Amino acid sequence: MQLPSTTLSQAVEALSTLPGVGKRSALRFALHLLKQPDSEALHLSESIRKLVTDVHYCHICHCISDTDICPICASPKRVQSIVCVVENVQDVMAIENTQQYRGLYHVLGGVISPIDGVGIRDLNIESLLHRIQQGHPAPVEEVILALPTTMEGDTTNYYLNKQLRPLGVKVTTIARGIAIGDNLEYADEITLGRSIVNRIPFD
Amino acid sequence: MQLPSTTLSQAVEALSTLPGVGKRSALRFALHLLKQPDSEALHLSESIRKLVTDVHYCHICHCISDTDICPICASPKRVQSIVCVVENVQDVMAIENTQQYRGLYHVLGGVISPIDGVGIRDLNIESLLHRIQQGHPAPVEEVILALPTTMEGDTTNYYLNKQLRPLGVKVTTIARGIAIGDNLEYADEITLGRSIVNRIPFD
C-alpha cells in the first residue's frame, strides 16, 4: 500500500503495532484522526504519553494503580488473609466485576511459558513468596490460584503450589466445570470429565 | 467496567474514540502499550501528534501530501486534462493501486449528506469548479465521477454534473456492473439490471 505522505505512513506504521490492528485499520484510524478537530488527536497523543510516563504499579500486588498502594490493598474492608493470584490486570477487573471476592490480589504479569521466553524470574513470583514468608503487610492464610486453564497456566499453578506449600499456606484453585447456561452435549470432554470427577455436594 | 487507575481509564477513553474500537479493545491497546518498552508508546504518541500538526493537503487536489503540491499533481507524466473526482484519500489510493489511471484527482472530502449535516459548502466543490473554469494549473477536458454507489454518492454525482456541464467539460462516471469473478446468480437485481441496460460492445 503506497501512502501519499510520510507523516501519514509513519502514523499508520505506529498505529499498526497495536494488537489486532493491521495496516488497513491503522490507516482508517489515522484518516479518522485527521477528520476530527486537531484537539482530539492531540488529546489521544497526550493520553498515550501520560499512560506510560504516569502509570504506577501497586507495591504490594503489582496491579496498575494511581498510588503506591492500590485501593484494594489499602482497603480495610478487604479480607487481608486471602490472596488471589492472577495473570494480569484484566483478570483482577474480571474477578472484581463478579463482586464475589473480598480478598486481595497478586498480579504475576504473565505465566511461565518457555516458548515465549517467559521464565520464573520474569514474573512477580519472588514478591509473592516474600509477601507470604514475611506475613507483610498482613499474614496470608490462603492463596487462590486463578490462572488460565492452559498448559502454561497449569505449569505455573504446579510451580507455585510446590513453592507455596512449604510456607504452610493453604493453596486452592478456582473451580473448573460446566459454565452456567451451557448444555452438557456441547461441553468439551475434558471439562465434562473433570466436572464429574470433582463433583460437589448438592445443597 | 471499573478501571484501577485514572491514567489508564483516560487512555482507554481516548483510544475508544478510534473508529470501530470499543472499551474492551481500547483496554487491550492500553495494556499492550504498558507491556512494551516505553519508547514504543512514546513513538506512537509522537506519531499521532505529528500526524495532525505536520500534515499538508495538496493545494490543487486536496489529497494528503508532504508538500504544497502533491506528487501526482506535480508529475509531468500524468495526463493533466482528466480529473477524477473521489470522496476521500483512500479512494485515490485504491485507484492508484489499479495502475489503470494516469490522470489527476480531486478529493471532495465527503459526499453530500444532509442527514450527517454535510452540505455543498463542506466539500471541496468550489475549488473543483474554479479549477475547471480557470483552466489552472491545466485545462480540464474530462471529469470522471468516481463516488460511492450510495444515495449520497448519487446525489453528489447529480449535483456535480449539473454544475460541470455548463462549463463545457465532458462528465463521465466509472462503470457499474458485475464485479470480475462474480456469479450472475448471486449479483443483486439492481446491479444486474443496470449491467444489461448499460451493456458494452464485445471486442
Side-chain angles (χ1 to χ4, degrees):
Chain A
M1 197 163 48
Q2 183 71 37
L3 295 181
S5 135
T6 27
T7 319
L8 180 64
S9 59
Q10 275 164 3
V12 167
E13 201 63 50
L15 283 163
S16 63
T17 61
L18 292 172
V21 176
K23 285 275 155 65
R24 261 172 199 278
S25 304
L27 178 63
R28 200 153 62 97
F29 291 171
L31 294 172
H32 169 86
L33 289 171
L34 284 174
K35 261 197 177 176
Q36 306 305 308
D38 283 7
S39 60
E40 195 164 311
L42 294 175
H43 173 67
L44 173 61
S45 162
E46 186 57 16
S47 304
I48 292 173
R49 198 191 57 74
K50 273 174 88 172
L51 178 65
V52 291
T53 52
D54 293 8
V55 80
H56 288 275
Y57 293 91
C58 173
H59 287 190
I60 301 172
C61 73
H62 306 285
C63 190
I64 291 171
S65 166
D66 288 326
T67 46
D68 282 351
I69 308 290
C70 76
I72 294 177
C73 285
S75 167
K77 287 190 184 160
R78 310 288 301 213
V79 179
Q80 306 278 322
S81 59
I82 308 180
V83 171
C84 180
V85 176
V86 292
E87 185 183 2
N88 53 38
V89 179
Q90 291 103 305
D91 298 339
V92 172
M93 284 158 48
I95 295 175
E96 281 300 286
N97 277 343
T98 68
Q99 304 194 334
Q100 298 290 321
Y101 180 64
R102 302 298 304 157
L104 305 180
Y105 292 95
H106 193 89
V107 180
L108 286 188
V111 282
I112 298 169
S113 174
I115 217 165
D116 300 317
V118 181
I120 293 151
R121 272 164 223 288
D122 303 311
L123 306 175
N124 299 319
I125 292 177
E126 197 63 48
S127 63
L128 172 67
L129 300 177
H130 200 254
R131 195 173 163 180
I132 289 152
Q133 276 165 339
Q134 302 293 312
H136 180 82
V140 178
E141 288 165 17
E142 180 179 354
V143 172
I144 304 173
L145 302 174
L147 297 176
T149 342
T150 56
M151 201 158 70
E152 291 78 15
D154 285 344
T155 308
T156 315
N157 275 337
Y158 179 80
Y159 177 79
L160 286 178
N161 185 43
K162 232 177 63 182
Q163 299 290 314
L164 289 167
R165 277 288 158 92
L167 305 179
V169 77
K170 185 175 162 195
V171 181
T172 56
T173 176
I174 53 168
R176 315 291 189 186
I178 306 298
I180 312 293
D182 264 15
N183 275 318
L184 290 202
E185 54 179 323
Y186 302 124
D188 69 288
E189 289 166 24
I190 298 175
T191 304
L192 187 55
R194 278 211 206 172
S195 78
I196 290 171
V197 172
N198 301 326
R199 62 195 177 278
I200 47 172
F202 186 88
D203 44 32
Chain B
M1 197 161 51
Q2 184 69 36
L3 294 180
S5 136
T6 28
T7 319
L8 180 64
S9 58
Q10 275 165 3
V12 168
E13 201 63 50
L15 283 163
S16 63
T17 60
L18 292 172
V21 176
K23 284 275 155 62
R24 262 173 197 278
S25 304
L27 177 64
R28 199 155 61 99
F29 291 171
L31 294 171
H32 168 87
L33 288 171
L34 283 173
K35 260 196 175 176
Q36 306 305 307
D38 284 7
S39 60
E40 195 165 310
L42 294 176
H43 174 67
L44 173 60
S45 163
E46 186 57 16
S47 303
I48 292 172
R49 198 191 57 74
K50 274 175 86 174
L51 178 64
V52 292
T53 52
D54 294 8
V55 78
H56 287 275
Y57 293 91
C58 173
H59 286 190
I60 300 171
C61 73
H62 306 283
C63 190
I64 291 170
S65 165
D66 287 326
T67 45
D68 282 350
I69 308 291
C70 76
I72 294 176
C73 285
S75 166
K77 286 188 185 162
R78 309 287 302 213
V79 180
Q80 307 277 322
S81 59
I82 308 180
V83 171
C84 181
V85 176
V86 292
E87 184 182 3
N88 53 37
V89 179
Q90 291 104 304
D91 298 339
V92 172
M93 284 158 48
I95 296 176
E96 281 300 285
N97 277 343
T98 68
Q99 304 195 332
Q100 298 290 320
Y101 180 64
R102 302 298 302 155
L104 306 181
Y105 292 96
H106 193 89
V107 179
L108 285 187
V111 282
I112 298 169
S113 173
I115 216 164
D116 300 316
V118 180
I120 293 153
R121 272 164 224 286
D122 302 312
L123 306 175
N124 300 318
I125 292 178
E126 197 63 48
S127 63
L128 172 66
L129 299 177
H130 201 253
R131 194 172 164 183
I132 288 153
Q133 275 163 339
Q134 303 293 312
H136 179 81
V140 178
E141 288 164 17
E142 180 177 355
V143 173
I144 305 173
L145 302 175
L147 297 177
T149 340
T150 56
M151 201 158 69
E152 291 78 15
D154 285 345
T155 308
T156 315
N157 274 337
Y158 180 80
Y159 177 79
L160 287 178
N161 185 44
K162 231 177 64 182
Q163 298 292 313
L164 289 167
R165 277 290 158 90
L167 305 179
V169 76
K170 185 176 163 193
V171 181
T172 56
T173 176
I174 53 168
R176 315 291 189 188
I178 306 299
I180 312 296
D182 264 14
N183 275 319
L184 290 204
E185 54 179 322
Y186 302 124
D188 68 289
E189 290 165 24
I190 298 176
T191 305
L192 186 55
R194 277 210 205 172
S195 79
I196 290 172
V197 172
N198 301 325
R199 64 196 176 276
I200 49 172
F202 186 88
D203 47 32

